[in-house]
Amino acid sequence: MVGFRQEAVLYDRQERFAGKTKYPLMRMIHFSLDAITSFSHLPLQLATTFGFVLASISLIGIIIAAFLRLFVGAIVGQASNLNPGTVPGVSS
């Protein structure tokens, strides 16, 4: 990590003095998610990729709805109702 030399430190782990942990499961899950997302750019890349995929699917849906409305004569108002719902973050 960051170019420093690393060494392993071996030790014998003793049994927990206070018995079982009293931390709730949700708090432990929160700690684990913090540990995963704090030291990696992978979650940000996954969220960005997911956003682009979702936006692409939405764009395809808009194009299909417009095509159906203009050339096939689909139900009037279908495209105008469908388009805001397919783009994330846009509400009608």
Side-chain angles (χ1 to χ4, degrees), residues 8-91:
V9 178
L10 302 176
Y11 68 98
D12 292 325
R13 183 174 176 195
Q14 297 177 357
E15 186 175 319
R16 183 179 167 94
F17 175 75
K20 292 187 177 182
T21 181
K22 304 293 189 289
Y23 262 54
L25 178 62
M26 288 307 294
R27 190 155 193 188
M28 296 299 282
I29 291 173
H30 180 71
F31 283 150
S32 66
L33 289 175
D34 280 347
I36 292 169
T37 57
S38 296
F39 298 103
S40 175
H41 65 280
L42 181 65
L44 182 59
Q45 285 181 331
L46 290 176
T48 303
T49 302
F50 179 72
F52 278 120
V53 168
L54 192 61
S56 300
I57 292 171
S58 299
L59 182 63
I60 291 169
I62 290 170
I63 292 169
I64 290 172
F67 177 82
L68 289 175
R69 174 64 184 104
L70 293 174
F71 299 110
V72 179
I75 301 170
V76 177
Q78 177 186 10
S80 62
N81 287 334
L82 178 64
N83 289 340
T86 57
V87 179
V90 177
S91 61

